[in-house]
Amino acid sequence: MILHKVRPQKPGERLAKEDQLAWKIACMAADRVEAGPAAAEMAAMRVIDDWAVSIAALDRGPVAAARGAALAYPRKNGASIVGMGTETRVDAYWAGYANATAIRELDFNDSFFAADSSHPGDVIGPLAAVAEARELTGAALIKGIATAYETQIGLVKGIALNRHRIDHVAHLGPAVAAGLGAMLGLEANVLYHAIGLAAHLSVSTRQTRKGSISTYKANAPGHIGQIAMLAIDRAMRGETSPAPVYEGDYGLMAILLDGRDGEATVPLPSPGEPPVAILESYPKEHSAGYHGQALIDLAFKIRDRVGNTARISDVAIHTKELTHLVMGSGAGDPEKWDPAATRETLDHSAMYIFTVALQDGKWDHESSYAPARAARPDTIELWRKVRTVSDPEWTREFTDPEPLEKAHGARVVVAYDDGTIFEDELRVANAHPCGANPWGAEEYRRKFLSLAEGRVAKTEALRFLDRAAELPNAGKSKPVDLSIKAQIANSTGSVAGLFS
């Protein structure tokens, strides 16, 4: 692993291409080394995970709308749309968009945290679409996924975006571009320009995840995936990119991040070193923002000991500052206590998530967010007694350790009307690699089969699982085929767009 120092140019200074971060990412992506066995197996499991959560989201409005947009671009040698089987093929540019939207809709795929946050599995939809359309092998797709994860995780470790109110998809664009280039075997010079274009065009504000959260939160990864695909296409045709995109005096670091005196350190594999950063990311057992995973498990843990919730006068969730600001009281968003709030807002409300998990002792991607469930009087009464507290110790335990050792959980302090107190805590979610039940292949299969039940025929589900699991091995000679047929209530969405 090489730690690459990144800083804005000084006045009058000009960085050689070889000293720029985009070039270093390009060289890593152009390296012909394959992912290590454990990383390759995990990449296949994350394909299974992404398709599982996509299937569960097929009838939701944003997913139907994205699918309708994609269906306006049929292409015989295109890519499949999740749920529509082998007979429907569309332009990879739009299949990647539709599938990435389905993957993100329920906030149910993987996460990673370091200097910033991310959902690295968001790279898979665009990569898989291009792999199918170009008839690449499973091994090529696995290499692309591992490279994209390596890029995104390296950027997330080194360059903080959230404190500057820049959304984390700014790291997703160059990651997808790097993964596409690795998958296609592109040379470093082409990749350098594609990564620069993708990084330059992928920046948006954090308002995507603030206030009354909109449907665009689900559409964002597909949109950014399209930007990365366009960047690759244009670079392959000879288009050059703004440079240095990170280090320029008008570049990302100087203008949008820490200013002209800022510095960052981005880790990337050494030449010949296989990409393995995917092993540092964490799955989700529950459909909610990652900061809520441990809170749901903590609520389950204590619910039998809390007693009569009607006697509770206050619930203080002592947690890291990031949870407090993004999903908690520190966000300053009254919508996080609003029973009429959007589903996207509720899955980013630590107070709502903890309340419902405590009352129900279970979590479901649909019923836990149902309007009638959110509007239950006893839920509203308890929900409005729940708050988060930014705790310096939990913040240190999240900020200082290495990624897999970070504390994502909380200590909950329950106060009763008679003055008594109940306390308990949980450091990480149960499914986390360091949790009580770290996930392996069986847990990913179980999640897929559970979410596919009633939507996908059992033989079709098992067929897909076998094909996905064999991607790293038997996939060395077989073209990628991730098509799957599911029951869909509305294939095209309810409203036509400009191009359909």
Side-chain angles (χ1 to χ4, degrees):
M1 188 67 65
I2 299 176
L3 302 179
H4 298 284
K5 300 291 184 182
V6 189
R7 60 165 179 80
Q9 293 176 154
K10 301 300 182 186
E13 181 183 14
R14 290 295 178 264
L15 287 181
K17 181 173 69 175
E18 292 74 20
D19 295 326
Q20 298 172 26
L21 179 59
W23 176 257
K24 293 167 182 177
I25 294 171
C27 290
M28 182 272 293
D31 199 342
R32 299 297 185 248
V33 65
E34 294 186 357
E41 181 184 14
M42 182 60 75
M45 286 190 276
R46 295 298 169 81
V47 171
I48 290 169
D49 193 56
D50 274 9
W51 261 239
V53 302
S54 299
I55 289 165
L58 288 176
D59 289 336
R60 293 187 57 81
V63 178
R67 188 167 55 242
L71 289 169
Y73 298 90
R75 189 163 181 169
K76 185 176 181 181
N77 60 338
S80 64
I81 299 174
V82 174
M84 302 204 72
T86 58
E87 63 274 14
T88 301
R89 298 274 166 171
V90 300
D91 192 292
Y93 181 78
W94 288 99
Y97 171 73
N99 293 341
T101 299
I103 289 165
R104 184 92 292 274
E105 167 67 13
L106 294 175
D107 213 327
F108 208 177
N109 64 332
D110 60 12
S111 292
F112 177 80
F113 291 85
D116 209 78
S117 60
S118 70
H119 300 287
D122 288 347
V123 304
I124 295 176
L127 295 177
V130 172
E132 282 193 338
R134 296 292 291 257
E135 297 187 332
L136 302 179
T137 66
L141 174 59
I142 292 297
K143 177 174 172 53
I145 292 171
T147 301
Y149 268 78
E150 196 76 38
T151 304
Q152 188 166 4
I153 286 174
L155 289 170
V156 170
K157 286 179 177 179
I159 299 177
L161 300 170
N162 185 43
R163 67 170 178 253
H164 303 288
R165 306 300 183 254
I166 301 297
D167 195 44
H168 57 63
V169 295
H171 291 331
L172 179 64
V176 174
L180 288 170
M183 192 170 73
L184 294 166
L186 300 181
E187 297 300 323
N189 195 56
V190 174
L191 270 168
Y192 164 72
H193 291 294
I195 289 163
L197 285 168
H200 185 70
L201 297 171
S202 296
V203 176
S204 59
T205 71
R206 188 74 184 182
Q207 193 61 39
T208 299
R209 296 162 212 284
K210 188 79 167 61
S212 183
I213 300 175
S214 72
T215 60
Y216 181 71
K217 181 169 76 75
N219 296 121
H223 174 211
I224 299 302
Q226 288 181 314
I227 287 172
M229 283 189 261
L230 280 177
I232 287 284
D233 180 79
R234 291 173 177 181
M236 290 173 70
R237 297 177 190 276
E239 186 171 323
T240 57
S241 62
V245 68
Y246 289 101
E247 303 92 343
D249 50 352
Y250 279 20
L252 299 179
M253 293 187 69
I255 301 303
L256 297 177
L257 302 178
D258 286 330
R260 295 180 186 277
D261 296 323
E263 287 190 355
T265 302
V266 176
L268 294 171
S270 305
E273 183 180 359
V276 295
I278 191 172
L279 300 173
E280 297 183 78
S281 56
Y282 345 109
K284 282 186 180 180
E285 186 173 0
H286 313 295
S287 176
Y290 194 79
H291 303 297
Q293 301 296 302
L295 296 182
I296 292 171
D297 289 335
L298 177 56
F300 293 167
K301 178 185 176 187
I302 68 173
R303 71 184 303 268
D304 290 338
R305 292 177 287 146
V306 165
N308 183 3
T309 58
R311 292 184 49 237
I312 293 175
S313 60
D314 180 72
V315 178
I317 301 172
H318 293 255
T319 187
K320 61 186 185 292
E321 183 182 31
L322 188 59
T323 300
H324 178 62
L325 293 176
V326 174
M327 291 183 66
S329 310
D333 296 335
E335 295 90 346
K336 292 189 186 298
W337 288 272
D338 183 359
T342 64
R343 194 246 192 229
E344 292 87 352
T345 301
L346 294 178
D347 73 25
H348 272 55
S349 169
M351 293 71 68
Y352 177 79
I353 287 166
F354 183 81
T355 300
V356 172
L358 185 67
Q359 289 184 328
D360 293 357
K362 62 179 181 179
W363 197 262
D364 183 77
H365 64 282
E366 293 178 332
S367 62
S368 295
Y369 295 106
R373 180 66 196 82
R376 242 173 59 181
D378 62 325
T379 295
I380 296 171
E381 181 182 4
L382 178 58
W383 181 7
R384 291 179 176 165
K385 297 174 183 176
V386 182
R387 58 193 171 91
T388 62
V389 176
S390 179
D391 188 304
E393 182 58 31
W394 281 94
T395 298
R396 278 192 297 274
E397 285 298 305
F398 173 77
T399 305
D400 295 342
E402 293 300 308
L404 285 179
E405 298 170 1
K406 290 182 181 297
H408 293 274
R411 174 172 59 90
V412 63
V413 180
V414 181
Y416 297 91
D417 53 14
D418 62 358
T420 58
I421 297 290
F422 172 84
E423 297 185 37
D424 205 346
E425 65 180 54
L426 188 66
R427 183 178 174 83
V428 294
N430 293 340
H432 185 277
C434 298
N437 180 34
W439 275 28
E442 185 53 39
E443 285 76 18
Y444 286 100
R445 286 178 61 90
R446 188 182 305 130
K447 179 177 176 180
F448 180 90
L449 291 171
S450 173
L451 294 178
E453 187 174 1
R455 290 180 173 272
V456 179
K458 189 66 175 288
T459 53
E460 174 77 345
L462 294 175
R463 182 182 71 88
F464 173 84
L465 285 172
D466 288 344
R467 281 186 287 119
E470 73 176 7
L471 284 171
N473 300 312
K476 289 181 179 178
S477 58
K478 293 182 180 179
V480 170
D481 176 14
L482 294 175
S483 62
I484 187 167
K485 185 72 172 177
Q487 294 181 11
I488 302 176
N490 185 349
S491 295
T492 61
S494 57
V495 179
L498 179 63
F499 302 112
S500 59

